[in-house]
Amino acid sequence: MNGDAPGAGVRARLLARSARQRATPPGPGYKWVALSNTTLGVLIATMDASIVIISLPAIFRGIGLDPLAAGNIGYLLWMILGYLLVSAVLVVVLGRLGDMFGRVRIYNLGFLVFAVASIALSLDPFRAGAGALWLILWRIVQAFGGSMLTANSAAILTDAFPTRQRGTALGINQITALAGQFLGLLAGGLLAAVDWRAVFWVSVPVSVTGTVWSYLSLRETAAGGRGRVDWLGNLTFAAGAGILLAGITYGIQPHGGHATGWTNPWVLTGLIGGVALLLVFCVVETRVAEPMFRLSLFRVRAFAAGNLAALLTAIARGGLQFMLIIWLQGIWLPLHGYDFEDTPLWAGIFMLPLTVGFLLAGPVSGYLSDRFGARIFSTAGLIVVAGSFFGLLALPVDFDYGPFAALLLLNGLGQGMFSSPNTSSIMGSVPARYRGVASGMRSTFQNSGTALSIGVFFSLMVSGLAATLPKTLGSGLQAHGVPAATAHQVASLPPVSTLFATFLGNNPIGHLLGSGGTLDRLTAAQRATLTGHRFFPELVSGPFHHGLTIVFSVAAGMALVSAVASALRGGHERADDPAATGTGRGAPEGSRAARPS
């Protein structure tokens, strides 16, 4: 190192400090510090991935923008998807950087970036379109910081915990991350009722505290491996994955008289171009000396099977989350007397059994998998998830809450049984020096599944609604005094508009008829019926249940395929590596845990 270079002395002192830390084994309590801090990190990162979903109506009202206006649908989509796309694309890169330059260093920087973005989001100075763009751009920056946290948290824990406790630690961390997605829905509903900026304020003290705490308490326990950044791999992967996921996302928007946009040339170009770039990426990764994406890890059966199961389960879980929100906010809650404006909050409350199931099963299954192996618990959990989907299929649209809550609890228990052992199996199957990139690859599959679920399940639901909704809606409106021409115009609108309205806790009938003055020309009794709690939910319950049958059948099928993949991961192998002592050096390259199965 050139001692005359600016900052060279500071860098030398930092490197020397890191070397001294690694030379001295951490104390027995350090693993719990690492667990508590990384759990806080993934909790706030995943909560912010979903917190805006429930609070979007309040956010758009706060900045003076109608989220259902045709020109504003793009803002609506990118407020949700910008965070998910960045999280899906960047976690592998950031995991690899953690392997090279220190997992704790990248993790700490992630907390700092997340804190800065949270502050900027809560201080949006603009209104209308400019205000929405400010939020979208800073959400992307926030997702960048969140990706640093999620990409390296599992690797930090794998380094810190001995093998006999690793499943428990990763289980707590993973289930907290998954529970954060649903807690974000509840928090968004509660905070949006106070002030739309409070949705972003809540992240500020947590992220600032986490930043200070992580810089003071976390330390590198595994030596970073110097290497080159795979720029071509990074570029082709980020471009390919981003274009592909964006194409799938825009596929749910109508085009050329079709209910969805899968025939849109731009969508087709995105799909084909994204796949082509990902194929180029795979070729690049087999020819560079230090690839970003360790394709060779897929020769390890537990790693390949675990990630396939995680991808399919993430798609099914995302579909469940969005469909439950629409089901509760658009139909069930209004039928039971809740105002449309209040349904986002109550939807989060009524979905709590799902989160409870996560929290109960995750740590327990993680602990038991340390003793008996991951395969039995993860596979059984996925079978339970599939069974809960079949149970939801059997419910009527206007269900009794008891059986519904029991099925949500069962689904949460099954996902908790799967997620903790699966994460432990994936992370324990790779050599220690690849744990950062392995954690990033695992997060990529999980985050990509959540983003894919929006395109997949919204398209399935829109297709189901398109078959029957227009006729049902048109005849229902005419039966209550709406002129035939207006009723036909409203019924001809893309079904995705109805989905977005229910998703945002709006009464679509009041929204669609009120803007044109149609409601003013109806009698008071007709207005009360059309904008009341029962007309719209009862009108769409039949078409919605048709779409719901398609969605949950596909989700159940994905869960069963995931169970098969999980069962093929191989038997339990109790790793016997130096990580059991807490040094974080991990399994040697030639050990059974590191070799392809």
Side-chain angles (χ1 to χ4, degrees):
M1 182 177 291
N2 183 3
D4 297 328
V10 175
R11 290 166 57 196
R13 287 194 295 273
L14 287 173
L15 290 173
R17 180 175 174 230
S18 297
R20 287 194 302 272
Q21 285 183 341
R22 289 193 297 270
T24 305
Y30 172 75
K31 58 189 178 184
W32 304 115
V33 173
L35 176 61
S36 54
N37 189 281
T38 55
T39 298
L40 177 66
V42 298
L43 175 65
I44 194 63
T46 54
M47 278 187 63
D48 270 62
S50 62
I51 198 169
V52 301
I53 294 175
I54 290 288
S55 52
L56 276 174
I59 292 173
F60 277 84
R61 283 196 300 269
I63 61 176
L65 201 64
D66 179 4
L68 295 180
N72 296 334
I73 293 294
Y75 294 135
L76 175 70
L77 282 174
W78 282 105
M79 277 291 291
I80 300 172
L81 290 167
Y83 195 102
L84 295 176
L85 289 176
V86 171
S87 299
V89 168
L90 290 183
V91 284
V92 174
V93 180
L94 297 169
R96 171 61 178 154
L97 292 177
D99 286 340
M100 293 172 58
F101 301 108
R103 293 151 193 168
V104 170
R105 182 176 300 174
I106 300 299
Y107 177 90
N108 290 346
L109 181 60
F111 243 138
L112 179 61
V113 171
F114 195 93
V116 171
S118 298
I119 294 171
L121 283 164
S122 66
L123 299 176
D124 187 352
F126 302 111
R127 291 183 58 78
L133 286 175
W134 173 279
L135 295 177
I136 290 168
L137 291 174
W138 278 107
R139 283 276 291 170
I140 290 174
V141 175
Q142 189 182 49
F144 184 75
S147 297
M148 291 183 179
L149 297 174
T150 57
N152 290 282
S153 61
I156 291 173
L157 290 178
T158 306
D159 289 337
F161 274 83
T163 305
R164 67 183 182 276
Q165 296 177 324
R166 187 177 296 156
T168 302
L170 290 171
I172 293 172
N173 188 265
Q174 177 70 3
I175 293 304
T176 302
L178 295 176
Q181 296 179 11
F182 292 95
L183 290 173
L185 300 176
L186 178 61
L190 289 170
L191 295 170
V194 177
D195 189 282
W196 72 269
R197 293 182 187 273
V199 174
F200 303 113
W201 289 337
V202 69
S203 301
V204 175
V206 176
S207 55
V208 170
T209 301
T211 300
V212 175
W213 184 23
S214 65
Y215 271 98
L216 292 177
S217 64
L218 295 183
R219 53 186 296 183
E220 301 289 357
T221 58
R226 289 294 178 183
R228 298 178 180 177
V229 176
D230 176 16
W231 293 112
L232 185 57
N234 285 321
L235 178 62
T236 53
F237 178 78
I243 292 172
L244 178 63
L245 292 174
I248 291 173
T249 299
Y250 279 104
I252 68 176
Q253 296 192 58
H255 173 75
H258 298 283
T260 57
W262 296 110
T263 58
N264 186 336
W266 287 108
V267 171
L268 293 174
T269 300
L271 297 178
I272 297 170
V275 170
L277 282 172
L278 289 177
L279 291 175
V280 172
F281 164 75
C282 292
V283 173
V284 168
E285 295 304 273
T286 62
R287 299 190 177 187
V288 297
E290 299 180 36
M292 176 196 86
F293 213 104
R294 287 279 170 181
L295 298 179
S296 61
L297 293 179
F298 288 107
R299 294 200 298 267
V300 180
R301 191 199 307 173
F303 183 84
N307 277 302
L308 174 60
L311 173 65
L312 294 175
T313 304
I315 297 175
R317 180 173 57 248
L320 174 71
Q321 174 179 304
F322 291 111
M323 292 308 110
L324 288 180
I325 292 172
I326 294 171
W327 194 353
L328 290 170
Q329 293 185 181
I331 297 178
W332 192 83
L333 286 168
L335 284 177
H336 288 257
Y338 292 85
D339 292 333
F340 277 90
E341 293 77 9
D342 296 332
T343 57
L345 169 61
W346 286 101
I349 293 173
F350 280 114
M351 288 197 298
L352 276 177
L354 192 61
T355 304
V356 171
F358 282 148
L359 298 178
L360 289 176
V364 174
S365 63
Y367 171 78
L368 293 175
S369 70
D370 288 335
R371 298 187 58 190
F372 304 109
R375 180 166 60 173
I376 184 173
F377 294 100
S378 59
T379 305
L382 290 170
I383 293 173
V384 170
V385 169
S388 69
F389 278 122
F390 287 123
L392 289 170
L393 277 172
L395 290 180
V397 173
D398 188 12
F399 50 80
D400 291 329
Y401 183 70
F404 178 79
L407 287 169
L408 290 193
L409 179 64
L410 191 66
N411 190 285
L413 290 171
Q415 293 196 49
M417 289 173 63
F418 162 75
S419 297
S420 304
N422 190 65
T423 301
S424 179
S425 174
I426 291 172
M427 295 303 300
S429 68
V430 301
R433 66 177 179 273
Y434 296 144
R435 283 175 183 161
V437 71
S439 178
M441 291 165 73
R442 177 192 61 82
S443 296
T444 291
F445 283 108
Q446 185 168 296
N447 295 338
S448 297
T450 303
L452 283 169
S453 69
I454 296 177
V456 171
F457 288 106
F458 267 72
S459 294
L460 291 172
M461 177 59 75
V462 167
S463 298
L465 289 176
T468 54
L469 181 61
K471 181 179 179 181
T472 304
L473 184 57
S475 60
L477 290 173
Q478 290 185 60
H480 288 82
V482 176
T486 303
H488 177 73
Q489 179 184 3
V490 171
S492 300
L493 292 175
V496 70
S497 299
T498 303
L499 274 186
F500 278 139
T502 56
F503 190 71
L504 293 172
N506 283 313
N507 184 342
I509 302 303
H511 186 89
L512 294 172
L513 297 181
S515 57
T518 302
L519 287 177
D520 297 333
R521 295 189 291 271
L522 301 178
T523 67
Q526 289 171 332
R527 285 198 302 270
T529 298
L530 289 172
T531 59
H533 291 158
R534 304 198 65 86
F535 174 77
F536 175 74
E538 290 178 346
L539 189 71
V540 301
S541 60
F544 179 79
H545 191 264
H546 175 65
L548 201 66
T549 300
I550 299 173
V551 167
F552 283 160
S553 296
V554 173
M558 286 184 174
L560 291 175
V561 174
S562 299
V564 173
S566 178
L568 295 175
R569 75 176 66 239
H572 178 47
E573 292 183 354
R574 187 178 297 278
D576 187 16
D577 60 72
T581 66
T583 63
R585 298 181 184 275
E589 185 76 49
S591 69
R592 287 185 70 197
R595 288 203 308 266
S597 298

